[in-house]
Amino acid sequence: MEVDEVPALPTDDDHVPAFLGALGLEGLVDIHVHAMPDRLQTAVWRYFDVLDDPAWPIHMRADADARLAHLAATGVVAHTALAYAHRPGMLPWLNGYTLDLADAHGEVIPTFTIFPDDDVDEEVDRALARGARVCKVHTQVGHYHLADPRLTTTWERLAARGVLVLAHVTAVYGVDGGAEFCGIDTLADLLDDHPDLQVVVAHLGNPEIDEAIALAAQAPDTVLLEPSMTLHDGPVLQQSFTSDQLARLADRWEQVVFGSDFPSIPHDLAAQVRGLARLDLAPPQWRAVLHDTARARLDGVRTDG
């Protein structure tokens, strides 16, 4: 579908489907959606509830079924189910939950997480056998190094399959400690060792945005950038970008994919969509960022054993 002009930006989530349709899209691919067992999700929300500088009001506090319904109503046709471990022994529980969710709901991309447990490769193999396409990594919460030797063969397995590794590797507001495990440089070192690894840099690498854009420029075939909680126009934690940063990010539009960090966000998905307008994208570029690029990378993951 040929579209000459960018349609009016959505004012709220109810208007996102019309915006997508006007662009000629079937829907939105959201590469950064969390889904955790109820007990863990409630604990995460309790953590956000005590933040006060600034406060972080959860926009979509609802049960799992309601959250899935909201994403569908907002025009999201495919999304991840991200969870992450903060101590050993959690992988069977977390990955069982997220992969079961994908089995039950066709719009959920089979997603799993890793942790440097001694049996991590067995857990990875189980996830891959179930068609997993995305792996969540969060070194600040997990308190582990990407270079942990227990993960060496894990990275080899993921690179061989083309699994997308959604990597949160920078220290951000709202997480206690863990900064010593973080840095875009740790991701650059990992890619030096595993150059075929497919990586999505969460939150544009904020606060190391310049370094993340530079890494994407160095690895255009393997590194994607995801802008959740960074490039948005919501009321909390608005990120200041220089004109040079926006220009360099716009130059890399082929490597930008949509992410929202739903549901533990202090704004709606429409705020994340509107934030992309700062890149001054043409309609074909909007279609790539909101749907086509992520869809193509996900379809390229080898899940046939």
Side-chain angles (χ1 to χ4, degrees):
M1 177 179 177
E2 293 294 329
V3 178
D4 295 329
E5 296 182 357
V6 178
L9 295 170
T11 56
D12 55 36
D13 284 2
D14 289 342
H15 292 94
V16 172
F19 174 75
L20 299 171
L23 281 171
L25 284 174
E26 62 165 338
L28 180 65
V29 176
D30 191 336
I31 204 71
H32 198 140
V33 170
H34 289 280
M36 304 178 191
D38 290 342
R39 177 160 57 90
L40 183 57
Q41 183 64 78
T42 299
V44 168
W45 282 338
R46 282 200 303 266
Y47 194 91
F48 280 106
D49 286 342
V50 300
L51 298 179
D52 59 4
D53 188 23
W56 192 296
I58 301 299
H59 180 75
M60 188 63 196
R61 193 189 305 264
D63 62 30
D65 288 341
R67 298 197 304 269
L68 290 171
H70 182 83
L71 289 168
T74 306
V76 179
V77 293
H79 61 83
T80 50
L82 304 176
Y84 41 80
H86 60 273
R87 63 174 181 265
M90 296 182 71
L91 295 183
W93 178 47
L94 294 178
N95 293 338
Y97 178 83
T98 57
L99 292 168
D100 285 350
L101 198 67
D103 286 345
H105 301 275
E107 71 277 13
V108 177
I109 301 161
T111 311
F112 68 107
T113 190
I114 60 174
F115 191 87
D117 288 334
D118 290 337
D119 63 347
V120 60
D121 281 336
E122 288 82 356
E123 289 298 326
V124 169
D125 286 344
R126 276 191 278 272
L128 295 176
R130 295 185 65 177
R133 294 176 184 270
V134 175
C135 173
K136 170 65 172 179
V137 169
H138 199 320
T139 55
Q140 187 181 15
V141 168
H143 286 212
Y144 61 85
H145 293 287
L146 295 177
D148 189 301
R150 289 170 294 182
L151 295 175
T152 299
T153 52
T154 295
W155 302 128
E156 293 171 356
R157 281 169 161 78
L158 301 185
R161 293 294 192 96
V163 170
L164 298 186
V165 178
L166 196 145
H168 185 151
V169 296
T170 50
V172 295
Y173 166 73
V175 180
D176 288 335
E180 66 271 28
F181 301 96
C182 295
I184 294 297
D185 60 327
T186 67
L187 190 55
D189 290 344
L190 179 68
L191 289 170
D192 284 342
D193 292 335
H194 305 278
D196 294 330
L197 194 66
Q198 299 289 318
V199 171
V200 185
V201 183
H203 312 302
L204 298 179
N206 190 37
E208 300 176 39
I209 293 172
D210 288 328
E211 292 84 351
I213 296 173
L215 181 63
Q218 294 164 15
D221 296 327
T222 55
V223 174
L224 298 173
L225 301 170
E226 176 273 302
S228 65
M229 281 311 307
T230 303
L231 192 63
H232 66 88
D233 69 355
V236 178
L237 292 180
Q238 286 199 23
Q239 176 66 35
S240 296
F241 287 84
T242 66
S243 57
D244 179 66
Q245 284 176 324
L246 290 173
R248 286 188 292 120
L249 188 56
D251 285 344
R252 306 237 66 82
W253 64 268
E254 292 177 294
Q255 291 169 261
V256 178
V257 291
F258 181 82
S260 67
D261 210 7
F262 181 91
S264 299
I265 49 178
H267 52 249
D268 57 13
L269 271 74
Q272 289 287 163
V273 174
R274 292 192 302 269
L276 293 166
R278 298 182 69 185
L279 301 183
D280 196 24
L281 302 172
Q285 296 167 337
W286 274 99
R287 289 194 290 273
V289 171
L290 295 177
H291 181 278
D292 296 349
T293 299
R295 185 75 272 167
R297 294 291 183 100
L298 290 164
D299 288 347
V301 178
R302 293 174 288 282
T303 61
D304 54 350

